[in-house]
Amino acid sequence: MYEPARPQLILALSGGGARGGAHIGVLKALDDAGIVPDGIAGSSIGSLIGTLYTGGMSPDEIAWRLRKVDWNSLFLDEPTRRSLLMARKAEHSRHLLTLRLGDDLAPVVPGAITPGQKLYHQLMKLTLDLPRFPSVNNWNGWKTSLNIIATDLLTGDRVIFSRGDPAFAIRASMSAPLLFEPVQLDARRLIDAGVSANIPVESAWEMGGDVVVAVDVTAGLQTRGKLWQPWEIVDQVTTILEELPNHQSLDKATLVITPANRGSDALPGTSFDEVIESGKREASLYIDTLKSLLTPPKQADEDDVVHFIRVSEPSGLPEELQMPAEWHIRGYASKAEIRNRLRQYYKTGIVMQVTVTHDEVDRSLSLNIELTPLVGSVVVKDGQAQFAALTDSIFQSQIGERFNNSTFSHSLDKLLQLYRNAGLPAVAVQGVEYLPETKTLQINLDPGSLERIEFSGLERVSALWLEHEVPLETGKPITGAGILDGMENLYATGLFRNVYPVIESVSSDKSPSKHGGWIIKYHVVENPSPLVRLGLVYQDVQRTRGFAEFTYPSPFNYAARGVIFASVGERDQLHRVESNIDRIFGQPFTFNLVGLYDRRNRDFFPEGEKQHRKSGEYDEARWGGQMEVGGQAWSWGELSVTSRWETHDNRYPDGSENFSVVALGAELGLDTEDRSPYPNYGVRLRVIAESSGEQIGSEREFTKVWGSWESFVTPSRRHTIGLRLMGGVVSENAPRDEMLKLGGMHNFPGLKLDEQVSSRQFATGFEYRFDMLSRVLADSYIGIRYDVGGGWNDPNLHIENIDWNNSIALYFALDTVVGPIHLQWARLFGAGGLINQSLFAIQAGSTF
């Protein structure tokens, strides 16, 4: 087969953070000029854009995809609240400081500001649905090959990825020192490619490049006013150290494209299009030069002329495949013309082999050409029938035509994209067969079945039942959602600092179909144990409170742990020792055993008081134990049976109470809220029912049923609406500390904390919140809420006769990385018998 040789074009895409958007513009300029690079060597942001391009996305699609990424969120590496088990949602983000202790109980200092888990999650989302990745382990089999560059922190050597799961390689290449922790791979610790090869020209040459074009979007030195943060100082030091290697790399390139935005601080957003345009504009200046460099070299005999008196060619050839008419007329053609004509034949895509033979004796020129076969039908075999109609439409234009390799490759990408969009990242082309008897083109697809789940990096944590956190089944096709949910679930356990899933072939990297399956391997980096959390909050009524929590995971069951919690405040104390189990034999199951001491000091408002004046203070104290046994529904629901045995010691202005309580009950919980305390969407429900009596050893008999529900939606960006409902009934003979309480800045803002104590209660409310400004360090909100409700003790009182309390509250809040700051003004009005009042409230820190 004649294949004209032409110089190989390899792009070296540099690192440079947000300035890397210019790489998209460069690729756009090349695409517009019909220039397809034969390979890309990428560092840092260049590795991401290079992967998206070689994986099957156009420059416009890359730009659209990256505009949707919230880059600021990649620095906040807390597990998503919705991925946490019910029992652990209460712990989420309530702490001011978290410490990990090593084996010697000394604090472990993290290696960077963030572990980079959110970054990896985003990279997985960006690459899982690429038509050419990740189901192909070798990246050199595509039209544009790919190399991703990282740096070995231990040796300083370049590490080159040319196979495997691209998300893992990109994450390593983007591990900027101090910002993201290094990626652990066997004995290596991989960091940003910028340390060893920020402009990977040398790697581009090693890929077989004849023409290497370096795209330089590296940063310039920053001015004095931009060197405040530690990472900015590290970036400046790195830039200084890279200056000489960068110049040396650029000197080795055939061409250097330097977009005008080099050294700017542009981030994807309003200026992203300008960054892309700067790359396109600069690359356009070099198109003619590139075309000249990529023209096949002139051969010594190109000017030689071949003379002939007779031209023969197969009959019935399409016009575009026939020899030019002028050759017949003039009786000669140069060898350069003949070679160019052969190139044109191959570009049609329907020529398998072509040769031109010149017989000098009889002075004849003969064209021998073998065309591709006719395609009567296209059949896709994937073991499924769900995409039959769509696959027919993809290949419809090729039915009845000769097989066109170029068109077929494009259609194959569309076919794989169909499966990627359906969430099947491991579906791969197993082989293509042509059945001449029926003129059928048969495409055999590997369905991407899961062979097994593996874990690497485990040292203290047992692998037993760990795979139950991954919602994938062996023997079934791998789904992208299953991979990502497994990563989220494993990270939410709190046992791991990093969780990196990769898709690997079971055996041969070239023929995964021979075994019919794939491995999902989760590379994990364990968190040091134990964990210490510290928290502090100030509220104007309860004043200052602080807590310390010590958590130690079980070495036998990854879902079991022991917790010691101690909270001390000016008016509150809570000390708790507990053992929690969230999984048993890998199945969702709750078992909590708690020993506690709880004391609260509150203002005393006598029943019937209309002036909101307290008559003193009271103390309620209880100590004892609690047990909870139940089942869980994924991460959002829980139903359990509860029991508690406690001794109560209460001192009120009008007397004291001392008694023991033994109660049995049940509790239903539902929580799908995305964040706390200012959710954008989700529902939270809690219903409890319990009974206490002498027959089970209690000194006080009572029953209680109480429930609360809240729901939030964000119908348009920055506008959130919330609804609340709360109510319950307690038997009249219940002790005061078991009664239902109403009032407080988050419970019922128009009433003072626990101002109404009653045996019956009902309240509902509406809230509107506006997101003023969202940033990495803080979100700011203004909001208004209206509540109506009340409490009463007369069981015969009809609900329509209740003297309703009406409350309206305005607030301003900052939700910071160290907890919320909440300022609130509330007004109570329209309450029968109660005088109107205005209340100011403040909270700094997360409640607990």
Side-chain angles (χ1 to χ4, degrees):
M1 181 175 178
Y2 178 79
E3 182 64 38
R6 73 161 181 82
Q8 299 288 292
L9 170 63
I10 308 294
L11 301 182
L13 304 184
S14 78
R19 295 173 298 277
H23 291 319
I24 303 173
V26 172
L27 293 170
K28 175 67 174 171
L30 295 180
D31 266 17
D32 290 346
I35 299 174
V36 179
D38 299 285
I40 292 177
S43 291
S44 195
I45 187 65
S47 71
L48 172 59
I49 293 173
T51 297
L52 297 179
Y53 181 80
T54 59
M57 295 181 69
S58 70
D60 288 337
E61 289 171 330
I62 296 172
W64 177 81
R65 184 71 66 91
L66 295 186
R67 283 190 192 98
K68 296 172 63 179
V69 177
D70 182 4
W71 297 97
N72 289 331
S73 69
L74 303 184
F75 297 95
L76 303 176
D77 256 330
E78 284 287 325
T80 59
R81 190 175 185 278
R82 302 189 82 180
S83 68
L84 297 169
L85 294 173
M86 283 288 293
R88 306 195 183 187
K89 290 182 188 289
E91 304 169 358
H92 187 60
S93 301
R94 72 184 182 189
H95 50 272
L96 178 66
L97 180 65
T98 297
L99 297 174
R100 292 282 179 178
L101 305 182
D103 295 335
D104 57 355
L105 297 184
V108 176
V109 179
I113 293 173
T114 171
Q117 185 64 30
K118 282 287 180 67
L119 173 61
Y120 191 77
H121 186 275
Q122 185 61 63
L123 294 175
M124 289 289 292
K125 290 176 65 176
L126 287 171
T127 57
L128 272 176
D129 61 354
L130 293 176
R132 301 172 189 168
F133 296 121
S135 62
V136 175
N137 278 356
N138 192 326
W139 306 341
N140 295 320
W142 295 101
K143 194 169 186 178
T144 301
S145 58
L146 174 68
N147 275 5
I148 293 177
I149 320 302
T151 303
D152 188 336
L153 179 61
L154 302 179
T155 64
D157 296 336
R158 280 183 306 145
V159 177
I160 300 175
F161 292 88
S162 61
R163 53 181 293 176
D165 195 322
F168 187 83
I170 301 169
R171 169 64 181 86
S173 187
M174 296 182 72
S175 298
L178 196 60
L179 278 180
F180 300 110
E181 288 194 350
V183 172
Q184 295 188 22
L185 178 62
D186 300 325
R188 290 173 166 173
R189 300 191 71 196
L190 305 178
I191 60 172
D192 197 293
V195 177
S196 61
N198 203 28
I199 309 175
V201 173
E202 185 176 348
S203 299
W205 285 117
E206 292 170 356
M207 293 175 70
D210 299 302
V211 176
V212 171
V213 175
V215 184
D216 178 17
V217 297
T218 57
L221 294 175
Q222 299 294 338
T223 60
R224 181 191 302 270
K226 295 185 178 181
L227 295 176
W228 293 97
Q229 306 297 337
W231 51 88
E232 293 174 337
I233 296 173
V234 171
D235 182 64
Q236 183 84 335
V237 172
T238 304
T239 302
I240 294 171
L241 296 175
E242 291 173 354
E243 196 78 10
L244 179 59
N246 285 348
H247 283 301
Q248 291 172 340
S249 293
L250 294 175
D251 288 341
K252 298 175 183 177
T254 310
L255 283 178
V256 176
I257 298 176
T258 307
N261 70 297
R262 182 185 184 274
S264 73
D265 292 327
L267 289 171
T270 56
S271 61
F272 193 37
D273 290 337
E274 297 174 15
V275 176
I276 294 173
E277 184 60 30
S278 71
K280 180 180 178 182
R281 185 170 53 247
E282 189 69 19
S284 298
L285 303 176
Y286 295 90
I287 294 300
D288 291 339
T289 303
L290 262 179
K291 286 183 176 180
S292 175
L293 290 170
L294 296 176
T295 301
K298 184 176 181 180
Q299 299 184 25
D301 62 351
E302 286 212 348
D303 293 331
D304 293 350
V305 176
V306 176
H307 293 272
F308 44 84
I309 59 175
R310 185 174 72 255
V311 177
S312 64
E313 54 189 337
S315 61
L317 284 178
E319 185 176 348
E320 67 269 17
L321 296 179
Q322 296 175 10
M323 285 192 180
E326 62 266 23
W327 291 11
H328 295 263
I329 298 171
R330 71 189 186 190
Y332 69 88
S334 70
K335 289 186 177 180
E337 288 178 310
I338 295 173
R339 291 188 176 112
N340 285 334
R341 190 64 183 173
L342 294 179
R343 293 188 185 104
Q344 294 301 318
Y345 288 155
Y346 283 113
K347 286 182 179 179
T348 65
I350 63 173
V351 173
M352 294 181 63
Q353 184 170 339
V354 60
T355 59
V356 173
T357 305
H358 178 235
D359 191 325
E360 296 183 358
V361 177
D362 62 6
R363 297 179 67 186
S364 64
L365 191 69
S366 301
L367 173 66
N368 299 298
I369 187 166
E370 182 182 351
L371 301 180
T372 58
L374 288 169
V375 178
S377 62
V378 178
V379 175
V380 178
K381 289 197 170 183
D382 62 352
Q384 307 177 63
Q386 65 208 56
F387 299 128
L390 293 174
T391 54
D392 287 346
S393 65
I394 290 174
F395 296 98
Q396 184 62 44
S397 62
Q398 297 168 58
I399 306 299
E401 303 291 336
R402 291 194 177 275
F403 175 79
N404 188 309
N405 186 63
S406 177
T407 305
F408 178 73
S409 296
H410 180 68
S411 297
L412 208 56
D413 277 351
K414 292 176 66 177
L415 175 66
L416 290 175
Q417 188 66 67
L418 180 68
Y419 287 88
R420 300 295 181 263
N421 293 342
L424 301 171
V427 172
V429 177
Q430 188 176 27
V432 179
E433 298 179 72
Y434 180 74
L435 308 177
E437 301 84 4
T438 57
K439 297 181 181 179
T440 299
L441 193 64
Q442 181 173 296
I443 304 169
N444 300 314
L445 295 182
D446 175 355
S449 299
L450 177 64
E451 181 78 13
R452 62 182 180 274
I453 298 171
E454 293 184 354
F455 297 91
S456 69
L458 294 176
E459 296 179 3
R460 292 181 298 272
V461 178
S462 171
L464 192 62
W465 305 311
L466 206 58
E467 69 275 6
H468 287 281
E469 296 291 346
V470 183
L472 293 172
E473 295 183 47
T474 57
K476 298 288 185 65
I478 296 169
T479 65
I483 296 172
L484 294 174
D485 288 348
M487 176 171 62
E488 285 282 321
N489 294 342
L490 290 166
Y491 190 60
T493 63
L495 299 171
F496 307 111
R497 188 160 180 81
N498 290 114
V499 180
Y500 301 138
V502 297
I503 302 177
E504 292 187 0
S505 167
V506 171
S507 55
S508 169
D509 61 326
K510 294 183 179 180
S511 303
S513 57
K514 290 183 178 179
H515 52 76
W518 297 81
I519 299 172
I520 300 297
K521 180 177 287 186
Y522 285 88
H523 298 272
V524 300
V525 179
E526 292 181 352
N527 266 321
S529 295
L531 168 67
V532 176
R533 290 190 178 101
L534 303 175
L536 188 68
V537 62
Y538 173 82
Q539 291 175 311
D540 52 352
V541 177
Q542 295 156 283
R543 297 192 281 272
T544 303
R545 292 179 294 153
F547 80 85
E549 183 179 47
F550 181 92
T551 303
Y552 195 89
S554 166
F556 308 107
N557 182 354
Y558 75 94
R561 58 189 182 150
V563 179
I564 300 175
F565 181 94
S567 169
V568 177
E570 295 181 54
R571 303 188 68 180
D572 300 271
Q573 285 189 52
L574 175 60
H575 308 295
R576 200 169 63 237
V577 178
E578 57 186 289
S579 174
N580 298 331
I581 300 177
D582 300 319
R583 291 281 195 275
I584 294 181
F585 304 117
Q587 301 303 311
F589 184 83
T590 297
F591 176 81
N592 296 330
L593 185 61
V594 181
L596 63 83
Y597 170 77
D598 184 6
R599 184 190 68 80
R600 302 181 183 187
N601 176 266
R602 294 289 183 268
D603 296 331
F604 187 81
F605 299 91
E607 185 176 353
E609 169 60 42
K610 306 297 183 181
Q611 304 297 318
H612 308 288
R613 292 177 301 194
K614 68 175 185 178
S615 62
E617 297 181 356
Y618 65 90
D619 286 305
E620 291 179 340
R622 64 180 68 188
W623 59 90
Q626 299 175 0
M627 185 173 68
E628 178 183 11
V629 179
Q632 301 179 54
W634 295 281
S635 60
W636 50 264
E638 183 177 75
L639 177 63
S640 57
V641 176
T642 62
S643 65
R644 60 186 174 107
W645 51 100
E646 300 170 342
T647 297
H648 294 220
D649 187 6
N650 305 324
R651 303 180 186 277
Y652 303 106
D654 54 0
S656 300
E657 289 184 319
N658 189 292
F659 54 89
S660 64
V661 168
V662 179
L664 299 176
E667 182 171 341
L668 172 66
L670 174 68
D671 191 339
T672 64
E673 291 181 349
D674 62 324
R675 55 185 299 179
S676 179
Y678 304 105
N680 294 316
Y681 56 87
V683 174
R684 189 184 299 193
L685 169 72
R686 187 186 179 203
V687 178
I688 61 173
E690 65 176 358
S691 177
S692 173
E694 293 182 358
Q695 63 272 26
I696 56 175
S698 179
E699 293 180 357
R700 299 293 296 268
E701 294 189 8
F702 64 89
T703 58
K704 177 192 296 186
V705 178
W706 178 87
S708 67
W709 170 84
E710 67 178 22
S711 176
F712 288 88
V713 295
T714 303
S716 63
R717 184 172 178 266
R718 302 171 72 177
H719 300 273
T720 300
I721 297 172
L723 297 173
R724 291 183 174 85
L725 185 66
M726 177 176 64
V729 177
V730 180
S731 56
E732 297 177 44
N733 57 340
R736 181 184 176 91
D737 63 351
E738 297 289 346
M739 291 288 187
L740 305 177
K741 298 178 174 64
L742 190 69
M745 66 183 298
H746 298 303
N747 176 273
F748 200 93
L751 292 173
K752 297 176 182 178
L753 181 64
D754 296 346
E755 183 175 344
Q756 282 198 349
V757 180
S758 61
S759 61
R760 283 151 179 78
Q761 181 188 87
F762 178 82
T764 185
F766 168 85
E767 178 179 350
Y768 166 75
R769 184 173 69 246
F770 177 71
D771 184 352
M772 297 174 60
L773 188 66
S774 295
R775 291 292 184 266
V776 174
L777 298 180
D779 297 330
S780 60
Y781 306 99
I782 55 173
I784 181 172
R785 60 178 288 180
Y786 172 77
D787 295 87
V788 58
W792 68 103
N793 290 311
D794 184 356
N796 299 314
L797 184 67
H798 295 294
I799 192 169
E800 61 265 25
N801 296 327
I802 299 176
D803 294 330
W804 295 104
N805 300 310
N806 295 271
S807 167
I808 189 168
L810 304 175
Y811 64 83
F812 168 77
L814 287 173
D815 192 11
T816 74
V817 293
V818 293
I821 299 174
H822 192 101
L823 305 175
Q824 181 173 278
W825 171 85
R827 177 72 174 172
L828 183 76
F829 62 93
L834 284 176
I835 66 170
N836 296 347
Q837 69 173 345
S838 295
L839 296 174
F840 291 92
I842 181 172
Q843 174 183 315
S846 298
T847 57
F848 50 86

